[in-house]
Amino acid sequence: MDSIERQIKINGVKSGVILGIIVTALSIASFYFITATPSPAMFVAGPIIFAIFLPIFCVTFLCFKARKDVGGYWTFKQATTGIFTMFLVAFVLQFIGKDIIFDKFVEPGNALKVQTAAVNAKAAILKQRGNTPQVIDKDIAELKKDFTQPAPTVGSTIQGIIISIIFIFILALVFGALFKRDPPGTVSNL
């Protein structure tokens, strides 16, 4: 049984690297998509597609592949372990690739670009609805106020990472329950 557990962790790391690269690329693509799109609808739909639908499709594929790689069966604990490992590795790669390298060195002004795109999308939506210039200016001022946040501290960054890891574990439990497949002849505890 140790060899299966070891194989599950190795597959989790390999799948995590793949998922991390994909999620990082999708995150960067989403940034360029929303800052370049002139359509308010695409400004809203882009992040949903890039941050939810495509990653879920990739995770589903990688979970099925990981289960197949260990013989087609894994218990809830094994599934959760492999999926948590995959998610954790992907999180670390995405944090390093997007949040540190891309945000700090490649596009250091990306928050301002996202704010500008959000303001333009909001203004276009308000104009389409026939709002007066005063209402548009008021809503835009409120939106800009929402974007002004103090720089993150080391403590808030660490707190954010801990919360993300807890969320990743909960998500791994959900995916573990969905993708577990007990070997024939065994009784499932879940």
Side-chain angles (χ1 to χ4, degrees):
M1 198 58 129
D2 271 343
S3 66
I4 291 175
E5 303 293 332
R6 187 170 184 270
Q7 184 63 36
I8 287 171
K9 290 178 183 175
I10 291 170
N11 285 348
V13 171
K14 289 178 184 177
S15 296
V17 169
I18 293 168
L19 183 62
I21 291 169
I22 290 170
V23 170
T24 301
L26 288 173
S27 180
I28 292 169
S30 176
F31 164 74
Y32 286 119
F33 181 81
I34 65 171
T35 56
T37 186
S39 167
M42 293 310 292
F43 177 84
V44 173
I48 294 170
I49 293 168
F50 286 108
I52 297 173
F53 291 131
L54 292 176
I56 287 176
F57 174 77
C58 293
V59 166
T60 302
F61 173 78
L62 290 170
C63 286
F64 278 124
K65 183 181 179 319
R67 185 173 71 189
K68 181 181 166 208
D69 289 348
V70 295
Y73 299 101
W74 56 3
T75 64
F76 174 70
K77 179 183 175 189
Q78 292 169 332
T80 302
T81 300
I83 293 168
F84 178 71
T85 303
M86 175 178 66
F87 286 168
L88 194 59
V89 170
F91 171 74
V92 169
L93 286 177
Q94 193 271 341
F95 182 77
I96 292 169
K98 166 72 172 67
D99 296 345
I100 295 176
I101 295 173
F102 182 77
D103 289 352
K104 303 283 189 236
F105 302 110
V106 178
E107 283 286 348
N110 65 358
L112 184 59
K113 290 179 182 179
V114 170
Q115 178 183 352
T116 302
V119 166
N120 292 341
K122 178 83 170 187
I125 290 171
L126 292 171
K127 285 178 188 173
Q128 286 176 347
R129 292 182 180 165
N131 288 304
T132 64
Q134 294 81 11
V135 170
I136 294 172
D137 291 342
K138 180 182 171 226
D139 284 356
I140 296 300
E142 287 178 21
L143 180 64
K144 286 181 179 179
K145 189 171 69 172
D146 290 342
F147 273 101
T148 56
Q149 297 177 2
T153 63
V154 174
S156 67
T157 302
I158 292 170
Q159 181 183 12
I161 290 170
I162 291 170
I163 291 170
S164 295
I165 291 171
I166 292 169
F167 180 73
I168 287 169
F169 180 70
I170 293 169
L171 201 58
L173 288 171
V174 171
F175 275 88
L178 291 172
F179 289 98
K180 76 173 181 71
R181 181 188 263 175
D182 290 318
T186 61
V187 178
S188 175
N189 293 334
L190 181 67

